[in-house]
């Protein structure tokens, strides 16, 4: 994937990997003997030196390299303009997870409690008394995809843990009961400029990244900015250029701990190839080549990455899911061309982009169903079925919020819901009282955008404060529906909604006209969802045909026999 991005920039790439048919070597054909790829291990000092002799900039795809040799070739190239990114010192810190945690803690970054531990029952028992059980034991080096982790739930498992972790140098972390795993890709230029990609939710299965949802949805409107700040501040403490993956734990109280950092393009950033203005691979190249960094912004509203993990020595299961993806709009398949398929090996990934979270989950569902061993419960948890039209229940991935101050407003607001059903737009419908539940009002308005809503329809009668108060606390467009009350025929509500101060706009429809509020919400959404323009055009043509039909009927039967249908 890095080589594919390099080819678009006319950057010549030489690769060190084992075998002539390694995945990256399949992408790049050497233009001459001097650019021939190197066959060997990335941990072999002589092979690293051979690669260094062929290039102007040397970078790594995995942190389990011989960082000492990287430093030696960097130092020996003084004056010869060989750059090594990220810097060998950064790789040395990150490839030892205990040393990585010490580094982060020394810079005041949020990490859970951790201590060094010996590979002995006595040492593990001592640490368990200090940090409590359950306890996470980790290998300090050469561990990834959970292979160097052991969850100690009972001290009687100490010997089992030692055997499982292979008597390697260990450390222990206090158990963190996180609610979600999240990640941020950060790109750092050679001069220290730092930019971050959107926060994503990562879902792991058997300790391997299974799904990545972008962007993260949350009721905490500040969460994404806090997570990006933590990730950026962490990368600022290291030296060298490139892309870094910052994995974090999100707690129930929305506090954040850094779990681990990868000094390279990362699984949780694969979605950027299709979903962002600049992929993590192109930005890695820009960073290490001292080119201007590209925009990290999403160019689609919703995206997911599904890892294709080997289930056996056969590629049949992978091919089956890839073939399903070929029929799914917005799906892009990346098969890595690895020489052999193995259980637990990453063989490729599929990215899906969509206009909304609902459309995304709808497109993801058949892919999850195609995976061996998938259960209905697992599929429903990540890609619930599209609800039937007019189910009487809110959609879990709404684009529009329909809120009202009282259940007495429901008859007025239901036509808005029925219009959204007609246009297949997911919505939620609930009661939010400006006066009786002010805390709920504040939380609803401030979390709306972060949860994925794109407009809000607010109905209110009497004092009619609900639309204006919501508009004062969210950047989303708010449509007010004046509800006719027991006095003044709703004119009081209409006047209240439209008399908003400058800077707090509320769109307003006629009294009791929930239908027009729904139609206006559709038109607002059509600015970012082009298909809705065609759908609205068809809706208007149908209205025209309905009126013309009445004209014809009137001419046929005369106005004395014409019967008006009341709605």
């Amino acid at each position: 994937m890095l080589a594919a991005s390099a080819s678009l920039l006319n950057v010549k790439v030489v690769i060190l990997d084992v075998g002539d048919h390694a995945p990256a070597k399949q992408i790049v054909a050497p233009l001459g003997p001097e650019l021939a790829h190197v066959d060997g291990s990335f941990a072999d000092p002589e092979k690293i030196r051979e690669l260094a002799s062929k290039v102007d900039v040397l970078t790594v795809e995995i942190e389990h390299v011989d960082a000492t040799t990287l430093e030696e070739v960097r130092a020996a190239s003084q004056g010869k303009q060989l750059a090594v990114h990220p810097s060998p010192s950064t790789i040395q810190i990150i490839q030892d997870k205990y040393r990585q945690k010490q580094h982060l803690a020394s810079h005041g970054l949020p990490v859970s409690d951790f201590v060094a531990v010996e590979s002995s029952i006595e040492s593990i028992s001592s640490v368990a008394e200090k940090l409590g059980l359950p306890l996470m034991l980790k290998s300090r080096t050469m561990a990834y995809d959970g292979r160097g982790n052991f969850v100690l739930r009972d001290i009687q498992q100490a010997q089992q843990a030692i055997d499982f972790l292979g008597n390697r140098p260990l450390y222990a972390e206090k158990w963190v009961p996180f609610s979600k795993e999240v990640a941020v890709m950060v790109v750092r230029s050679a001069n220290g400029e730092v930019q971050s990609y959107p926060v994503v939710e990562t879902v792991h299965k058997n300790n391997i990244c299974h799904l990545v949802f972008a962007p993260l949805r949350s009721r905490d409107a500040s969460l994404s900015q806090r997570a990006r700040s933590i990730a950026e501040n962490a990368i600022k403490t290291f030296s060298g250029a490139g892309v870094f993956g910052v994995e974090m734990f999100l707690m129930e109280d929305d506090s954040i701990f850094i779990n681990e950092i990868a000094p390279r393009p990362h699984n949780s950033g694969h979605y950027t190839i299709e979903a962002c203005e600049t992929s993590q691979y192109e930005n890695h190249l820009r960073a290490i080549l001292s080119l201007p960094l590209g925009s990290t912004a999403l160019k689609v509203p919703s995206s997911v990455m599904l890892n294709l993990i080997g289930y056996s020595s056969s590629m049949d299961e992978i091919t089956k899911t890839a073939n399903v993806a070929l029929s799914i709009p917005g799906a892009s398949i990346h098969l890595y061309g690895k020489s052999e398929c193995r259980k637990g090996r990453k063989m490729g990934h599929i990215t899906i982009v969509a206009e909304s979270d609902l459309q995304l989950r709808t497109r993801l569902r058949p892919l999850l169903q195609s995976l061996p061993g998938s259960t209905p419960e697992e599929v429903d948890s990540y890609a619930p079925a599209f609800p039937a039209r007019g189910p009487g229940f809110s959609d879990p991935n709404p684009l529009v919020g329909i809120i009202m101050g009282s259940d007495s407003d429901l008859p007025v607001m239901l036509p808005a819901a029925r219009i959204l059903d007609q246009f297949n737009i997911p919505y939620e419908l609930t009661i939010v009282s400006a006066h009786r539940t002010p805390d709920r009002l504040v939380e609803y308005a401030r979390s709306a955008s972060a949860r994925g809503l794109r407009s809000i329809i607010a109905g209110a009668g009497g004092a009619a404060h609900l639309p204006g108060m919501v508009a004062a606390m969210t950047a989303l467009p708010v449509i007010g529906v004046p509800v006719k009350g027991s006095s003044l025929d709703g004119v009081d509500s209409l006047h209240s909604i439209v008399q908003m101060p400058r800077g707090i706009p509320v769109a307003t429809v006629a009294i009791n006209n929930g239908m027009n509020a729904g139609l206006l919400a559709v038109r607002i959404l059509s600015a970012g969802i082009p298909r809705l323009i065609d759908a609205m055009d068809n809706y208007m043509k149908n209205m025209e045909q309905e009126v013309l039909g009445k004209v014809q009927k009137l001419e046929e039967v005369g106005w004395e026999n014409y019967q008006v249908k009341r709605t």
Side-chain angles (χ1 to χ4, degrees), residues 2-7 10-16 24-25 27-31 35-37 51 54-55 57 59 285:
L2 185 71
S5 290
S7 68
N10 279 344
V11 174
K12 299 178 179 63
V13 178
V14 182
I15 297 150
L16 166 59
K25 292 178 181 178
I27 298 296
V28 179
L31 296 180
L35 295 176
H37 300 312
L51 177 66
K54 292 172 171 280
V55 301
V57 179
T59 191
L285 288 166

Side-chain angles (χ1 to χ4, degrees), residues 217 398-401 428 444-457 467-479 503-507 524-525:
R217 301 301 186 195
L399 281 176
V400 179
E428 62 185 11
Y444 185 91
R446 291 182 172 165
S447 70
S449 177
R451 291 191 295 112
L453 291 178
R454 289 297 170 259
S455 67
I456 297 172
I457 301 172
M469 291 301 296
V470 170
M473 289 180 283
T474 180
L476 297 178
V478 176
I479 304 165
I504 312 295
V506 176
I524 289 171
L525 290 175

Side-chain angles (χ1 to χ4, degrees), residues 344-403:
R345 193 180 195 191
K346 295 171 184 172
M347 304 304 296
H349 75 267
I350 296 170
T351 302
I352 301 175
V353 296
E355 65 187 26
S356 67
D357 291 355
L358 173 63
Q359 187 184 74
L360 186 81
R361 309 280 172 154
T362 303
R363 291 175 172 181
L364 175 62
R365 186 174 176 86
L367 285 181
L368 295 181
Q369 290 173 326
S370 73
L371 299 177
S374 67
T375 64
E377 294 76 18
E378 180 184 2
V379 172
D380 286 341
S381 63
Y382 302 121
F386 188 87
R389 179 178 293 184
F393 296 96
S394 295
D395 191 279
N397 303 291
L399 281 176
V400 179
I402 303 175
I403 58 176

Side-chain angles (χ1 to χ4, degrees), residues 264-403:
R264 52 177 169 80
H266 189 259
N267 234 192
S268 58
H270 287 348
Y271 77 97
T272 63
I273 299 173
E274 281 78 29
C276 292
E277 293 183 352
T278 313
S279 78
Q280 65 168 341
Y281 293 99
E282 182 180 334
N283 252 341
H284 183 80
L285 288 166
R286 288 178 179 228
I288 65 176
L289 298 176
S290 297
L291 299 172
L293 298 183
S295 168
T296 57
L298 280 167
K299 59 183 181 182
V300 294
S302 191
S303 178
V304 66
M305 188 278 294
L306 168 66
N307 247 336
L308 297 176
I309 309 298
Y311 295 90
S312 66
S313 60
S314 171
M315 276 289 290
D316 290 348
E317 297 93 346
I318 303 295
T319 303
K320 175 186 174 184
T321 299
N323 287 340
V324 172
L326 289 172
S327 65
I328 295 175
S332 299
I333 305 165
H334 298 259
L335 296 179
Y336 301 157
K338 293 184 177 180
S339 58
E340 61 176 325
C341 184
R342 294 196 301 269
K343 183 176 177 61
R345 193 180 195 191
K346 295 171 184 172
M347 304 304 296
H349 75 267
I350 296 170
T351 302
I352 301 175
V353 296
E355 65 187 26
S356 67
D357 291 355
L358 173 63
Q359 187 184 74
L360 186 81
R361 309 280 172 154
T362 303
R363 291 175 172 181
L364 175 62
R365 186 174 176 86
L367 285 181
L368 295 181
Q369 290 173 326
S370 73
L371 299 177
S374 67
T375 64
E377 294 76 18
E378 180 184 2
V379 172
D380 286 341
S381 63
Y382 302 121
F386 188 87
R389 179 178 293 184
F393 296 96
S394 295
D395 191 279
N397 303 291
L399 281 176
V400 179
I402 303 175
I403 58 176

Side-chain angles (χ1 to χ4, degrees), residues 478-482 493-494 497-498 506-510 520:
V478 176
I479 304 165
V481 181
S493 175
L494 173 63
I497 293 175
V498 298
V506 176
T508 311
V509 296
L520 184 53

Side-chain angles (χ1 to χ4, degrees), residues 108-376:
L109 292 156
V111 294
S112 60
D113 294 340
F114 64 97
V115 294
V117 61
E118 302 295 329
S119 294
S120 70
I121 293 176
E122 295 77 12
S123 180
I124 293 174
S125 298
S126 175
V127 168
E129 290 182 10
K130 180 178 180 180
L131 298 182
L133 293 173
L135 181 71
M136 179 63 80
L137 290 173
K138 290 187 174 183
S139 171
R140 291 177 58 162
T141 59
M142 299 301 292
Y144 61 96
D145 289 343
R147 292 182 175 88
N149 298 347
F150 188 96
V151 181
L152 189 76
R153 303 186 183 279
D154 189 297
I155 199 61
Q156 301 301 318
Q157 296 176 291
Q159 187 57 55
Q160 180 185 349
I162 293 170
D163 295 340
F164 177 82
L165 295 171
N167 288 309
R168 289 181 284 181
L170 306 178
Y171 79 105
E173 290 182 4
K174 184 179 179 64
W175 182 257
V176 178
F178 57 86
S179 61
K180 286 182 180 178
E181 292 182 85
V182 300
V184 176
M185 298 305 303
V186 179
V187 56
R188 176 190 170 110
S189 68
N191 63 9
E193 178 190 356
V194 166
Q195 292 186 28
S196 62
Y197 283 88
V199 187
V200 300
E201 178 184 357
T202 59
V203 177
H204 290 74
K205 187 176 181 180
N206 299 323
N207 293 315
I208 301 175
C209 183
H210 175 44
L211 293 163
V212 175
F213 290 100
L216 172 70
R217 301 301 186 195
S218 170
R219 299 196 76 91
D220 183 350
S222 70
L223 177 60
S224 286
Q225 187 53 53
R226 287 192 292 115
R228 292 176 79 162
S229 294
I230 290 171
E232 289 176 8
N233 289 336
I235 301 310
K236 287 176 183 177
T237 67
F238 295 103
S239 60
V243 163
F244 297 77
V246 183
E247 299 178 274
M248 294 176 279
F249 294 134
L250 175 63
M251 308 302 286
E252 288 290 350
D253 63 359
D254 284 339
S255 60
I256 298 169
F257 290 115
I258 296 178
N259 177 25
E260 294 176 358
I261 293 177
R264 52 177 169 80
H266 189 259
N267 234 192
S268 58
H270 287 348
Y271 77 97
T272 63
I273 299 173
E274 281 78 29
C276 292
E277 293 183 352
T278 313
S279 78
Q280 65 168 341
Y281 293 99
E282 182 180 334
N283 252 341
H284 183 80
L285 288 166
R286 288 178 179 228
I288 65 176
L289 298 176
S290 297
L291 299 172
L293 298 183
S295 168
T296 57
L298 280 167
K299 59 183 181 182
V300 294
S302 191
S303 178
V304 66
M305 188 278 294
L306 168 66
N307 247 336
L308 297 176
I309 309 298
Y311 295 90
S312 66
S313 60
S314 171
M315 276 289 290
D316 290 348
E317 297 93 346
I318 303 295
T319 303
K320 175 186 174 184
T321 299
N323 287 340
V324 172
L326 289 172
S327 65
I328 295 175
S332 299
I333 305 165
H334 298 259
L335 296 179
Y336 301 157
K338 293 184 177 180
S339 58
E340 61 176 325
C341 184
R342 294 196 301 269
K343 183 176 177 61
R345 193 180 195 191
K346 295 171 184 172
M347 304 304 296
H349 75 267
I350 296 170
T351 302
I352 301 175
V353 296
E355 65 187 26
S356 67
D357 291 355
L358 173 63
Q359 187 184 74
L360 186 81
R361 309 280 172 154
T362 303
R363 291 175 172 181
L364 175 62
R365 186 174 176 86
L367 285 181
L368 295 181
Q369 290 173 326
S370 73
L371 299 177
S374 67
T375 64

